[in-house]
């Protein structure tokens, strides 16, 4: 099976999205809406968002293997696929040791979870993994349709593509803010993820692999780090920075909107990307 995710995806948390917002994301030209931050295993919200739209793909970014029972997730997948065939992609991830007290053997735990999904007939090509490091990226390539990394600069996309090879989905997410003032943009970025997420071990280790230092990771992020993780500036600049992921090997670029009005940010970004694409 194939699935057309479009060039752009919109990453939104449960409190940021409803059926009206999903319809607005679709009208803005996004191919996919990603439900962030460990949606529950019943995937009810994903189904509701599909009900409110006509062509939009909905994906999870990501179902958390520690909190979402695999059998329940599999049953939810089949329910949604029966109702909205070809419009749902299941993203799964291992979560973070800072949140889950029983966090252990993340690689083997994820392998076991994928095994359970496979036994419940969830197609591998309708599943992606929130992979950052080389080992998880290889697992994503071997066992699923590909990888959906977040909080990564284009350099990570380039390295990830070399590990995944061709023919596997690479769906990085990047923060975006339509703010031309550098100082204000950096303040916003430091007051929310990415700035507030730098103490998360998985993210910090991945950024170290990419050459960022302890100084870069301290105090909610150095200017260099923030500028690498957040596309800000005038709309054309934001679009160009996001499209750098495609140039590095991405199939699709997920947009994490920053600012007080995420839907307005997503709309501005989509307009800018489409303008750049049109030449």
């Amino acid at each position: 099976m194939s699935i057309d995710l479009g060039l752009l995806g919109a990453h939104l948390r449960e409190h940021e999205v409803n059926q009206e917002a999903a319809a607005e994301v679709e009208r803005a030209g996004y191919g996919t809406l990603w439900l962030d931050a460990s949606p529950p295993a019943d995937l009810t919200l994903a189904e509701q968002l599909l009900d409110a739209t006509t062509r939009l793909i909905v994906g999870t970014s990501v179902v958390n293997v520690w909190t979402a029972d695999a059998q329940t997730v599999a049953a939810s997948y089949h329910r949604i696929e029966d109702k909205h065939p070809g419009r749902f992609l299941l993203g799964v991830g291992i979560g973070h040791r800072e949140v889950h007290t029983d966090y252990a053997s993340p690689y083997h735990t994820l392998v076991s979870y994928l095994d359970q999904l496979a036994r419940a007939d969830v197609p591998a090509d309708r599943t992606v993994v929130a992979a950052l490091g080389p080992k998880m990226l290889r697992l994503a390539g071997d066992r699923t349709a590909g990888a959906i990394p977040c909080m990564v600069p284009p350099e990570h996309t380039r390295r990830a593509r070399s590990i995944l090879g061709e023919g596997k989905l690479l769906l990085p997410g990047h923060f975006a803010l339509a703010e031309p003032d550098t100082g204000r943009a950096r303040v916003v970025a430091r007051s929310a993820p990415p700035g507030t997420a730098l103490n998360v071990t998985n993210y910090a280790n991945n950024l170290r692999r990419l050459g960022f230092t302890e100084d870069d990771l301290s105090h909610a992020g150095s200017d260099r780090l923030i500028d690498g993780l957040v596309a800000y500036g005038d709309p054309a600049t934001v679009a160009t920075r996001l499209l750098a992921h495609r140039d590095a090997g991405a199939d699709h670029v997920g947009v994490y909107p920053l600012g007080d009005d995420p839907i307005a940010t997503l709309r501005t970004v989509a307009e800018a990307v489409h303008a750049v694409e049109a030449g």
Side-chain angles (χ1 to χ4, degrees), residues 11 27 97 114 131 155 190 201 215 229 234 237 242-243 251 253 259 262-263:
H11 283 263
R27 285 193 295 271
R97 67 183 73 247
L114 293 174
E155 173 60 19
R190 289 185 173 112
T201 301
D215 286 342
L229 296 178
D234 62 80
T237 299
L242 292 172
L243 290 172
D251 298 287
V253 183
I263 301 300

Side-chain angles (χ1 to χ4, degrees), residues 51 69 74 85 115 119 132 162 204 209 214 251:
D51 289 342
D69 171 70
D115 288 343
R119 287 194 294 270
L132 292 173
S162 70
R209 281 192 295 267
E214 297 307 314
D251 298 287

Side-chain angles (χ1 to χ4, degrees), residues 111-130:
V111 168
S112 175
Y113 197 89
L114 293 174
D115 288 343
Q116 293 178 68
L117 293 178
R119 287 194 294 270
D121 296 323
V122 175
D125 61 1
R126 287 303 183 83
T127 307
V128 291
V129 170

Side-chain angles (χ1 to χ4, degrees), residues 140-194:
D142 290 343
R143 294 290 307 273
T144 74
I148 180 168
C150 71
M151 213 161 110
V152 292
E155 173 60 19
H156 181 272
T157 296
R158 185 187 66 78
R159 298 185 188 190
R161 174 53 72 198
S162 70
I163 292 170
L164 285 174
E166 298 302 319
K168 290 293 182 175
L169 292 175
L170 181 52
L171 316 170
H174 200 99
F175 296 97
L177 175 64
E179 172 55 71
D181 184 276
T182 297
R184 285 197 293 267
R186 288 170 176 167
V187 167
V188 171
R190 289 185 173 112
S191 66

Side-chain angles (χ1 to χ4, degrees), residues 10 12 16 21 24-25 28 30 176-179 235 238 255-272:
L12 293 167
E16 296 174 323
E24 177 64 20
V25 165
Y30 285 83
L177 175 64
E179 172 55 71
V238 172
V255 180
Y256 287 86
L258 296 177
D260 295 332
D261 189 339
I263 301 300
T265 297
L266 289 169
R267 191 185 307 113
T268 298
V269 167
E271 290 172 355

Side-chain angles (χ1 to χ4, degrees), residues 23-202:
E24 177 64 20
V25 165
E26 182 174 67
R27 285 193 295 271
Y30 285 83
T32 305
L33 191 157
W34 296 101
L35 282 180
D36 283 358
S38 302
D42 62 20
L43 300 177
T44 298
L45 180 55
E47 184 176 1
Q48 292 171 345
L49 300 180
L50 288 167
D51 289 342
T53 54
T54 59
R55 57 165 181 78
L56 193 71
I57 304 298
V58 172
T60 53
S61 180
V62 288
V63 165
N64 189 319
V65 303
W66 300 105
T67 59
D69 171 70
Q71 295 306 310
T72 305
V73 168
S76 301
Y77 168 85
H78 290 297
R79 183 188 77 243
I80 293 171
E81 178 63 19
D82 287 345
K83 189 175 184 182
H84 297 287
R87 294 182 58 205
F88 179 70
L89 187 61
L90 179 64
V92 300
I94 197 62
H96 304 293
R97 67 183 73 247
E98 290 81 5
V99 177
H100 307 291
T101 56
D102 53 353
Y103 189 99
S105 302
Y107 180 86
H108 296 293
T109 300
L110 185 54
V111 168
S112 175
Y113 197 89
L114 293 174
D115 288 343
Q116 293 178 68
L117 293 178
R119 287 194 294 270
D121 296 323
V122 175
D125 61 1
R126 287 303 183 83
T127 307
V128 291
V129 170
L132 292 173
K135 190 174 182 179
M136 286 296 191
L137 284 164
R138 285 190 288 270
L139 176 65
D142 290 343
R143 294 290 307 273
T144 74
I148 180 168
C150 71
M151 213 161 110
V152 292
E155 173 60 19
H156 181 272
T157 296
R158 185 187 66 78
R159 298 185 188 190
R161 174 53 72 198
S162 70
I163 292 170
L164 285 174
E166 298 302 319
K168 290 293 182 175
L169 292 175
L170 181 52
L171 316 170
H174 200 99
F175 296 97
L177 175 64
E179 172 55 71
D181 184 276
T182 297
R184 285 197 293 267
R186 288 170 176 167
V187 167
V188 171
R190 289 185 173 112
S191 66
T196 58
L198 295 178
N199 61 345
V200 176
T201 301
N202 291 346

